[in-house]
Amino acid sequence: MFKIRDIDHLVLRVVDVERMMRFYCDALGCTVERRQEEIGLVQLRAGRSLLDLVPIDGKLGRAGGGAPAAAGRNLDHFCLRIEPFDERSLRRQLGRHGITVGPVETRYGAEGEGPSVYLADPEGNVVELKGPPADR
């Protein structure tokens, strides 16, 4: 059995990444953690968590469909940090609820690189469950 510890990160699909960065950095005090230009991702530090900005014209942004609007989504997914991250028990527990879990992959989060899986809630929202960083 795992428990949710906190929100690791949120991923927003954005039309104007520079404008969004000015809002989150200049107005709210976030800082740029890192950029991954090749996939179209800017990760901002928001306290203990990350806020990821994904321009809709980048590799990741195009995967989410059209531009965010009243009838479209701008939240790509949200990530919950869990403990412990035990793939077998995680799949067993979620499988009992009929939930399909994607493959375990190493992804970067608020605490660094670590294991994570994607799944979908009943209304199609993507949820990432993330374990501790690999260097622990």
Side-chain angles (χ1 to χ4, degrees), residues 31-74:
T31 57
V32 176
E33 175 96 1
R34 71 182 196 160
R35 290 176 176 259
Q36 294 185 36
E37 303 292 343
E38 67 281 358
I39 60 172
L41 172 66
V42 178
Q43 295 179 291
L44 304 178
R45 174 63 56 185
R48 290 177 32 161
S49 302
L50 290 178
L51 176 61
D52 296 353
L53 303 179
V54 175
I56 60 164
D57 59 353
K59 182 178 178 180
L60 289 178
R62 285 190 303 271
R73 60 184 204 141
N74 74 335

Side-chain angles (χ1 to χ4, degrees), residues 19-123:
R19 183 175 177 214
M20 294 293 275
M21 286 178 61
R22 284 191 301 274
F23 174 80
Y24 284 104
C25 294
D26 298 348
L28 299 185
C30 293
T31 57
V32 176
E33 175 96 1
R34 71 182 196 160
R35 290 176 176 259
Q36 294 185 36
E37 303 292 343
E38 67 281 358
I39 60 172
L41 172 66
V42 178
Q43 295 179 291
L44 304 178
R45 174 63 56 185
R48 290 177 32 161
S49 302
L50 290 178
L51 176 61
D52 296 353
L53 303 179
V54 175
I56 60 164
D57 59 353
K59 182 178 178 180
L60 289 178
R62 285 190 303 271
R73 60 184 204 141
N74 74 335
L75 178 68
D76 181 80
H77 73 276
F78 67 93
C79 177
L80 299 172
R81 174 64 165 80
I82 64 170
E83 286 186 346
F85 190 95
D86 178 311
E87 182 180 2
R88 285 180 50 161
S89 65
L90 181 100
R91 289 186 186 282
R92 190 170 43 251
Q93 177 182 341
L94 296 173
R96 285 194 294 267
H97 297 277
I99 299 169
T100 302
V101 178
V104 172
E105 294 189 26
T106 299
R107 295 183 176 94
Y108 188 80
E111 297 177 69
E113 298 276 347
S116 78
V117 294
Y118 287 135
L119 52 107
D121 74 13
E123 294 190 2

